[in-house]
């Protein structure tokens, strides 16, 4: 007679329990990192948009108005007098949305400097704390 080899039920159960314990320890730490990643992405977007706004100002001697908005970084605003030296290639290829799918808010002149640029964060409302806090360029 041939002897069959394989895993016993006990061995399989031990492996399943070990995988379950590891999953219980690792999954919560990974799941909490998604919010941190979104916040980091929003800060990166704000830096990129801020740099594009600085280039716009260098070319046109002022920042786009609130009415012109961030679209002025993509397409030439109004008549030529509003942006006399506007770069024909634009300043951004496309205007990013924040990691929660909403547009970034731009106000010029701003209350924190030449312009305010921010995202309303995870909750989509002004203010908030922790992961629901606004993410701004002046922080």
């Amino acid at each position: 007679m041939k002897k069959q080899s394989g895993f016993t039920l006990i061995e399989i159960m031990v492996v399943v329990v070990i995988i379950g314990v590891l999953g219980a320890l690792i999954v919560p730490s990974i799941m909490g990192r998604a919010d941190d990643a979104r916040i980091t992405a929003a800060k990166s977007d704000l830096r990129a948009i801020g740099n594009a706004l600085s280039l716009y100002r260098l070319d046109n001697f002022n920042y786009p108005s609130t009415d012109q908005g961030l679209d002025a970084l993509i397409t030439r605003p109004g008549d030529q007098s509003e942006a006399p030296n506007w770069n024909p290639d634009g300043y951004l290829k496309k205007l990013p949305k924040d990691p929660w799918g909403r547009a970034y808010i731009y106000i010029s002149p701003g209350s924190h400097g030449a312009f305010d640029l921010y995202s309303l964060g995870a909750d989509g409302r002004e203010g908030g704390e922790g992961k629901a806090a606004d993410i701004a360029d002046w922080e």
Side-chain angles (χ1 to χ4, degrees):
M1 237 190 227
K2 273 184 152 179
K3 186 177 177 184
Q4 291 185 347
S5 62
F7 295 108
T8 66
L9 180 60
I10 296 294
E11 291 171 327
I12 292 173
M13 288 177 62
V14 168
V15 169
V16 168
V17 167
I18 290 171
I19 290 172
V21 169
L22 288 174
L25 294 173
I26 294 172
V27 169
S29 65
I30 292 174
M31 297 308 267
R33 303 293 294 183
D35 290 329
D36 293 339
R38 286 187 183 101
I39 291 168
T40 300
K43 288 179 180 180
S44 177
D45 284 348
L46 290 174
R47 274 192 299 276
I49 295 169
N51 289 338
L53 286 164
S54 295
L55 290 173
Y56 180 98
R57 182 175 179 261
L58 283 173
D59 288 348
N60 299 291
F61 313 111
N62 55 24
Y63 292 106
S65 67
T66 301
D67 291 337
Q68 293 168 336
L70 295 174
D71 289 332
L73 301 174
I74 308 292
T75 58
R76 179 180 219 128
D79 62 36
Q80 191 165 348
S81 65
E82 292 180 359
N85 299 318
W86 193 83
N87 184 342
D89 295 331
Y91 298 91
L92 289 174
K93 292 192 185 310
K94 68 176 192 161
L95 202 54
K97 297 239 183 236
D98 74 8
W100 298 275
R102 295 183 293 272
Y104 287 101
I105 298 171
Y106 171 75
I107 301 169
S108 177
S111 59
H112 294 93
F115 62 85
D116 290 350
L117 180 61
Y118 60 100
S119 165
L120 295 175
D123 64 355
R125 294 186 299 237
E126 293 275 343
E129 294 180 10
K131 293 181 169 110
D134 296 348
I135 302 156
D137 70 322
W138 60 83
E139 293 177 345

